[in-house]
Amino acid sequence: MSALEQSLQFGTAECRQWRQAFFDRLPSLAEDLAAGFVHVANRHGNAAGNRWLARHAAGLIEPGHVYRRFAFVACDLRRAFAEIRRQCNTTIEGLKAGCVWLADVEKRLTVGSLNATHDDDALVDYAKAQALGVEDARNKLIGNIASHNRRLRLGLLPPPRRLPQPSGETISAQARHMATLIARARNPLTPPAPSVPLMAVFQWERAPVMSIAVADEMALTQARERARLHGITPPSPKSKRAEQIARLGCDKWWRRKLRRVTGRRIEQVMREARRVHKRAGIYCSDLTVERRRSQKVRNRALLETIEAINQNDQVYTLAELAELGLANPDHRRAELMLRIRDTEVEAKRLGHVGLFFTLTAPSRFHPVLASSSQRNPKYDGSTPREAQQYLQKLWAQARSSLARDGLGIYGIRVVEPHHDGTPHWHLLVWAQPDHVDAVTETLRSYAEAESPEELFDRFGNRTTARFKVETIDTKRGTAAGYIAKYISKNINGQQFARDGVEGDHLDNYGHELNDSAPRIEAWAATWGIRQFQFLGLPSVTVWREVRRLTEQQEDELKRWEEATRPRASISNVLRQIRAVALGGHWDQFVRLMGGPNTPRKDQPIKPWSIPAFRTGTGDDEFSHATGEVNRSIVERGRYGDEIKVPKGLVVKDHKGRTAEFLTRLYRWEVRPKRSAAGAGFSGGGEAADPWTCVNNCTPAHVRRLITPTEPDPETLAAQLQRYQEWRASEEVRAEMESVDEENRFIREQTRQLLENDAAGRALMAERGIHVPASPWAGQAEFFPDGI
């Protein structure tokens, strides 16, 4: 017999009906509550059981309601609720703890009125609604300006009375109290007796005249409060009022902020639900990995629809240009390894010692135990971002202490997650031999300051759980070899496995680096954590800008020097640094920039940025965001703020004299991708025609050298057989299916871009807003499947 059936044996019919109301309100918990009631009623009677039921059921919520509302993560929430319930001493304590957690989850996964687990289309629509709400509130205030000022002129809008706060528990009671205060107040037009002059008791005040500035300030206050209610940090109050309103009234701004907030809240809930650890989704949840993949698909779809053309009529899509820069993980990894390797070369020349530190956050930041992946009783609900801020504060204190003691270090910091998503730091630094002990003890003292009881195991032995140090032994390998695996693991998983090192292609938890890298990248993007940072070394921006001046730009550099006439000593500084940068010698670059730990102000080169200047006229002068007309020559962004763009370098000689050098030699114009149908070119001129290694202008003897010869039938048959075997393998089939799925995603996202643009233009036309020419006009024919 179930507990619900047993509870029917106690009390009268009215009593059973009263208990049934509790069971109907909490159907998922009815059986457990009935069991508790039966237990108490058997021992102390029906009345005691009723009191127990009323007392303990008061603070419970129905878990099924939360599961239905967040159906996308219902399985994970249900599993976490059951686990919380099992860990408590009694059933009712477990139910209360689980309900408290579910209530908190429901609050966090509700951003304003948006369900954080809904798809991205719902988020986009919600962002548009919030931006439209801000604009409507501002327009309403502006529309009431004339009415307010007219009533003020006619004397119909006196200053508000300064009355005490009304008392009363209900609105009606407060209204009656306010009416009583007004009725008992003295008429300001009646002088008090006896014979006090009327003018002596007047306090003259002028009601403020309503203006657009006042309306904007009121609208901004409401908009900032709207952002806070969604857990979004409003724009900086130090910026101009028009720029703040422009951001808060932009659906793209809301979309970015909402994606960030919802992504982090969902991931934190998954961590608390114990779905992020080495036995489940390592480093981050599977849901976050899928959201990050969808984001990349959207970005790729957008980049494929936009192209850039320079003054030489060279046309590229933004996707092609992105692959040429540091957005390409292979390029990023190669540059990092070059800088690390050459920094070690310079450190050896200076006679410095390499140190490898590992800093870990205290136990309260870890949701699960490292050994068993069970819940950590010390966990306080901190997010990975909060753990990163703790480590940053620790490092700032240690760095200040080192600076006070005159202990200089330089190297690189790598941030990577534990299996549960909690960040920890790896520091590869170099220091003078006589500073090694002092540097180590300084870092150790700050790293182990909090919760020192966690530094010892159950046998009383001191552990390296919070701080670990290794001295780089050049006999065992180089510093680049120490950190190469961490670099590969945090970028794309590609590396050359070291000879004689077993399991070098695996991470610390036995997972393939190629599988771990996307999860780590998604983890860093979700929590906004910077993975790599060099310290005590010259600016890499200068390195990259100098490398723009390749041998092909020699003539442009000479013409620039002829026009600006810099001093010979300044040109020599740039010439020396340019030679080592183009040669890929980071160690010599560090030396010429003043060496490690040289202050930026003392380095011979620094970046040069200037305001962006307008190159067009007409409709572009009007800002739809701020409602202002930009008549200056300085280009302004979407929100009305001034845009600064990098242009080159400021070079300084040994006497402190400076000169500017231009490194951005191409002027790019971004536009929607044009049609390639019909004429067979992209519309950017002759240079925009398809670039191939063989065309009609290539001489015949050159074509023979670069064109493969026709194989004989036997060779061709053997090649075809090998190709078919390779094509039929499981690995290739899985890879091709993944590529096909990603292409379908890209096509779908491109179609949605076109549809959203058409819907937005229709809405603007309905509101009487000027509709500019659509950047997507005529683009549908470029996309496959009839999009």
Side-chain angles (χ1 to χ4, degrees):
M1 182 181 297
S2 65
L4 284 172
E5 295 175 349
Q6 295 179 23
S7 66
L8 299 177
Q9 302 174 2
F10 296 88
T12 64
E14 292 79 5
C15 187
R16 291 192 292 270
Q17 184 179 2
W18 177 82
R19 286 196 299 268
Q20 189 62 36
F22 290 98
F23 302 149
D24 293 341
R25 184 175 65 88
L26 304 168
S28 300
L29 311 179
E31 187 68 25
D32 295 320
L33 292 176
F37 164 78
V38 171
H39 176 74
V40 176
N42 283 327
R43 298 185 60 182
H44 305 287
N46 177 70
N50 288 340
R51 289 193 299 269
W52 179 92
L53 180 62
R55 183 172 64 254
H56 290 94
L60 301 180
I61 64 172
E62 169 53 32
H65 170 71
V66 181
Y67 302 152
R68 288 189 297 271
R69 186 175 182 185
F70 307 106
F72 198 67
V73 294
C75 294
D76 298 319
L77 297 181
R78 189 177 290 106
R79 185 185 297 109
F81 179 84
E83 187 174 357
I84 294 174
R85 174 184 166 183
R86 288 195 303 268
Q87 288 184 342
C88 294
N89 296 328
T90 62
T91 301
I92 191 61
E93 290 179 359
L95 293 180
K96 287 183 177 180
C99 288
V100 168
W101 181 76
L102 281 180
D104 183 60
V105 167
E106 184 177 19
K107 181 179 178 180
R108 283 183 289 165
L109 293 185
T110 304
V111 184
S113 57
L114 173 68
N115 188 330
T117 61
H118 282 174
D119 58 10
D120 192 70
D121 292 339
L123 186 146
V124 171
D125 294 339
Y126 187 81
K128 292 180 180 178
Q130 296 306 311
L132 189 60
V134 172
E135 287 295 326
D136 287 346
R138 179 173 179 264
N139 294 337
K140 184 178 179 180
L141 291 170
I142 294 177
N144 291 333
I145 290 178
S147 175
H148 178 277
N149 292 338
R150 179 175 174 272
R151 295 170 64 191
L152 181 62
R153 286 196 305 271
L154 296 176
L156 303 177
L157 196 66
R161 295 178 180 271
R162 292 187 174 88
L163 297 175
Q165 184 71 21
S167 60
E169 297 181 355
T170 64
I171 298 296
S172 300
Q174 294 179 7
R176 288 192 297 270
H177 182 244
M178 178 64 69
T180 302
L181 292 176
I182 295 175
R184 292 178 178 176
R186 182 181 58 82
N187 189 340
L189 299 180
T190 303
S195 66
V196 177
L198 181 64
M199 302 299 293
V201 298
F202 275 177
Q203 293 183 354
W204 296 95
E205 298 181 9
R206 178 174 177 82
V209 177
M210 180 67 73
S211 63
I212 292 182
V214 176
D216 283 347
E217 187 64 31
M218 297 172 63
L220 178 59
T221 302
Q222 297 177 14
R224 292 178 66 89
E225 183 61 25
R226 181 189 291 260
R228 292 190 187 96
L229 291 176
H230 287 81
I232 296 174
T233 303
S236 173
K238 296 181 180 179
S239 58
K240 297 180 180 179
R241 184 190 304 115
E243 297 176 6
Q244 297 182 54
I245 294 178
R247 283 178 167 82
L248 291 164
C250 177
D251 61 324
K252 295 181 177 61
W253 184 88
W254 278 95
R255 187 192 310 170
R256 291 193 302 270
K257 299 295 184 179
L258 287 173
R259 281 173 176 165
R260 183 179 303 169
V261 169
T262 56
R264 291 178 180 176
R265 291 190 179 184
I266 290 175
E267 180 63 13
Q268 180 60 18
V269 169
M270 292 294 100
R271 295 178 76 237
E272 295 175 3
R274 213 168 61 82
R275 303 312 302 157
V276 181
H277 54 83
K278 58 188 176 183
R279 293 180 174 86
I282 192 169
Y283 306 126
C284 66
S285 64
D286 296 336
L287 179 59
T288 295
V289 174
E290 187 60 32
R291 286 169 63 95
R292 179 60 175 169
R293 182 185 178 188
S294 300
Q295 181 183 9
K296 288 185 175 181
V297 169
R298 291 194 305 267
N299 295 342
R300 183 72 182 189
L302 179 62
L303 295 180
E304 290 287 356
T305 59
I306 301 177
E307 64 184 10
I309 179 172
N310 59 23
Q311 69 269 28
N312 297 331
D313 289 336
Q314 298 173 341
V315 182
Y316 300 90
T317 65
L318 294 189
E320 294 171 341
L321 293 177
E323 289 296 323
L324 299 177
L326 292 179
N328 188 327
D330 292 329
H331 296 173
R332 187 182 179 198
R333 175 179 173 272
E335 183 188 80
L336 286 171
M337 294 305 300
L338 170 68
R339 294 167 66 188
I340 295 170
R341 183 196 63 192
D342 284 5
T343 300
E344 182 181 22
V345 172
E346 181 65 11
K348 287 183 178 179
R349 190 187 69 85
L350 296 174
H352 293 170
V353 178
L355 301 170
F356 191 78
F357 298 106
T358 301
L359 305 180
T360 307
S363 178
R364 64 184 179 90
F365 292 101
H366 297 264
V368 299
L369 300 175
S371 57
S372 61
S373 297
Q374 296 299 317
R375 288 185 178 273
N376 180 15
K378 296 182 180 180
Y379 180 55
D380 61 358
S382 299
T383 65
R385 188 168 180 83
E386 292 171 344
Q388 174 72 359
Q389 292 171 352
Y390 166 82
L391 292 174
Q392 287 175 335
K393 182 179 179 181
L394 184 151
W395 170 245
Q397 295 172 342
R399 190 178 64 244
S400 299
S401 177
L402 293 174
R404 289 192 299 269
D405 297 338
L407 306 175
I409 59 174
Y410 57 95
I412 183 177
R413 181 206 73 185
V414 179
V415 182
E416 65 172 358
H418 284 288
H419 68 107
D420 58 1
T422 306
H424 64 280
W425 285 18
H426 295 296
L427 291 167
L428 175 61
V429 299
W430 285 270
Q432 298 181 18
D434 53 340
H435 294 172
V436 170
D437 294 338
V439 169
T440 302
E441 290 306 316
T442 299
L443 289 177
R444 186 192 304 275
S445 62
Y446 283 100
E448 298 179 348
E450 181 177 332
S451 304
E453 69 278 0
E454 298 176 358
L455 305 177
F456 300 90
D457 58 16
R458 59 178 181 175
F459 302 107
N461 299 322
R462 192 180 186 88
T463 65
T464 59
R466 298 269 292 282
F467 179 82
K468 184 179 179 181
V469 58
E470 295 181 56
T471 303
I472 302 299
D473 187 358
T474 56
K475 297 180 180 179
R476 297 178 55 189
T478 63
Y482 269 80
I483 206 167
K485 190 171 184 177
Y486 300 103
I487 298 294
S488 299
K489 177 182 175 182
N490 285 271
I491 296 183
N492 59 356
Q494 299 294 331
Q495 72 161 11
F496 297 100
R498 292 170 291 182
D499 295 336
V501 180
E502 184 178 356
D504 200 35
H505 63 291
L506 304 175
D507 63 8
N508 295 335
Y509 307 102
H511 294 77
E512 293 278 350
L513 292 183
N514 292 336
D515 299 333
S516 300
R519 306 187 72 93
I520 295 177
E521 191 273 338
W523 167 84
T526 299
W527 294 109
I529 293 177
R530 183 176 179 178
Q531 296 176 273
F532 309 102
Q533 185 177 16
F534 283 81
L535 49 109
L537 295 172
S539 170
V540 71
T541 302
V542 174
W543 166 267
R544 293 167 183 166
E545 291 296 323
V546 170
R547 287 170 60 85
R548 288 177 177 272
L549 299 174
T550 61
E551 289 80 1
Q552 287 78 11
Q553 282 76 40
E554 189 70 37
D555 295 337
E556 286 83 353
L557 180 59
K558 290 181 179 179
R559 287 197 295 269
W560 175 267
E561 291 181 340
E562 292 174 359
T564 59
R565 297 183 179 276
R567 294 181 179 272
S569 57
I570 299 177
S571 298
N572 290 334
V573 172
L574 177 63
R575 189 176 297 109
Q576 294 176 3
I577 294 180
R578 178 171 171 244
V580 300
L582 293 179
H585 305 296
W586 172 264
D587 55 335
Q588 300 179 31
F589 173 79
V590 173
R591 196 180 314 161
L592 293 175
M593 290 289 287
N597 293 317
T598 299
R600 293 293 172 90
K601 63 179 181 179
D602 297 333
Q603 295 177 7
I605 302 181
K606 64 179 181 180
W608 174 38
S609 298
I610 62 174
F613 296 106
R614 297 182 54 79
T615 58
T617 58
D619 294 338
D620 292 338
E621 294 181 355
F622 179 75
S623 173
H624 294 279
T626 61
E628 299 177 348
V629 177
N630 179 22
R631 300 189 182 278
S632 66
I633 63 173
V634 177
E635 185 72 36
R636 295 189 178 275
R638 175 184 298 162
Y639 306 120
D641 47 348
E642 184 178 295
I643 299 177
K644 282 196 173 184
V645 293
K647 284 295 182 181
L649 301 168
V650 178
V651 185
K652 179 175 63 176
D653 63 4
H654 62 285
K655 292 185 178 181
R657 297 170 296 195
T658 61
E660 294 83 10
F661 288 85
L662 189 68
T663 59
R664 304 294 178 106
L665 304 177
Y666 291 100
R667 298 186 302 275
W668 294 95
E669 177 187 355
V670 178
R671 66 188 186 190
K673 187 176 180 181
R674 297 189 177 182
S675 175
F681 71 92
S682 62
E686 295 180 0
D689 293 342
W691 292 351
T692 61
C693 60
V694 180
N695 54 42
N696 294 332
C697 301
T698 307
H701 66 280
V702 177
R703 288 201 300 269
R704 287 194 298 271
L705 291 176
I706 62 178
T707 303
T709 59
E710 186 71 21
D712 56 84
E714 296 181 358
T715 304
L716 182 61
Q719 292 177 354
L720 182 60
Q721 182 180 359
R722 290 195 299 270
Y723 170 77
Q724 292 175 348
E725 294 175 354
W726 170 80
R727 187 65 178 82
S729 62
E730 291 295 332
E731 294 81 1
V732 175
R733 184 182 296 108
E735 182 177 356
M736 295 303 294
E737 290 177 356
S738 177
V739 171
D740 293 341
E741 182 180 0
E742 184 171 343
N743 289 335
R744 287 196 299 272
F745 285 162
I746 292 176
R747 290 196 297 269
E748 178 63 21
Q749 292 295 327
T750 307
R751 181 186 63 78
Q752 293 180 6
L753 283 175
L754 299 176
E755 292 179 354
N756 292 338
D757 177 71
R761 289 168 56 79
L763 180 60
M764 292 174 65
E766 291 178 2
R767 292 175 171 268
I769 303 174
H770 170 67
V771 183
S774 173
W776 310 105
Q779 298 301 307
E781 60 208 47
F782 308 126
F783 305 110
D785 296 345
I787 297 177

